[in-house]
Amino acid sequence: PPGKYQVHLEIDGVSQAEEFEVVKDPRVGTSQDDFVAQFTLFKKIRDKLSETNDAINDLRNIKVQVDEWVNRSADHASGETVSSEGKALREKLSDVEQELLQVNYKGERDRLNFPVKLNRKLGELAAVVGSADFAPTKQSVDVFDDLSERIDVQLDILQHIVDEDLNRFINI
């Protein structure tokens, strides 16, 4: 939002600071409170999108590690059990991944064939909120709340999978 800010840069123990001001376009009649409301929603969207993408990265890392353990155990006596448990764990992780992210996109045209998922919807909401210098609409806030709630459900499921299923897989 418009206002006075300060930037700090530190390299090799040398610190510099500089003040600057973001000024409002004089042609825009938006109030400071509206700018702050817009910025606040932007930060919430950014934070939820980061949390979602971090969870997707974690989930994918777990899937890679599960695959590695399944491959390593293939020639051992417990190989069949590890493979079976690994497959079940991967399926649960994939179910969460497919709710958070459209995994079927192979090219631009696939957007016509497969629906967008939660992370993309959240990203598109950021574009709507930033489309003009106004406070976010009630609908934008409501959509953010709905998407956040739906994402949180998936993140809770993922946490349960990590706590229960992954722990069981590790202790085979």
Side-chain angles (χ1 to χ4, degrees):
K4 294 185 179 189
Y5 297 91
Q6 198 175 63
V7 63
H8 297 271
L9 177 65
E10 184 173 335
I11 299 175
D12 295 331
V14 177
S15 181
Q16 291 182 321
E18 190 70 37
E19 290 185 5
F20 65 96
E21 183 174 1
V22 174
V23 295
K24 178 174 102 170
D25 183 335
R27 299 169 296 172
V28 174
T30 305
S31 72
Q32 184 68 18
D33 289 342
D34 288 347
F35 278 118
V36 169
Q38 182 186 42
F39 185 70
T40 299
L41 184 56
F42 263 133
K43 287 189 344 186
K44 287 180 181 180
I45 293 169
R46 176 208 61 199
D47 292 347
K48 184 55 74 175
L49 198 52
S50 291
E51 181 182 15
T52 303
N53 290 333
D54 287 346
I56 292 167
N57 288 336
D58 292 344
L59 180 152
R60 288 180 168 181
N61 286 333
I62 292 169
K63 287 169 69 172
V64 167
Q65 291 177 35
V66 167
D67 289 344
E68 288 174 1
W69 279 107
V70 168
N71 290 337
R72 287 180 189 170
S73 68
D75 296 331
H76 296 303
S78 63
E80 206 171 296
T81 302
V82 172
S83 178
S84 173
E85 289 292 323
K87 181 180 178 188
L89 178 56
R90 265 188 130 274
E91 286 175 4
K92 288 181 177 184
L93 291 168
S94 291
D95 289 344
V96 172
E97 181 182 27
Q98 291 173 19
E99 288 299 317
L100 296 174
L101 177 71
Q102 180 52 262
V103 297
N104 295 314
Y105 285 167
K106 304 294 184 235
E108 287 297 315
R109 299 188 77 104
D110 286 339
R111 292 183 181 182
L112 301 172
N113 300 319
F114 300 107
V116 296
K117 296 297 183 160
L118 294 171
N119 75 324
R120 178 68 185 259
K121 290 178 181 182
L122 197 55
E124 293 297 327
L125 179 61
V128 170
V129 171
S131 65
D133 287 333
F134 295 104
T137 63
K138 180 183 180 329
Q139 293 87 345
S140 293
V141 173
D142 291 346
V143 168
F144 172 76
D145 291 342
D146 176 63
L147 291 173
S148 291
E149 186 176 304
R150 292 167 57 195
I151 289 169
D152 287 343
V153 167
Q154 295 305 314
L155 297 181
D156 289 345
I157 292 169
L158 176 59
Q159 190 59 53
H160 179 76
I161 292 169
V162 167
D163 292 344
E164 300 293 325
D165 299 278
L166 180 59
N167 194 33
R168 183 174 51 250
F169 180 77
I170 290 170
N171 291 311
I172 292 177

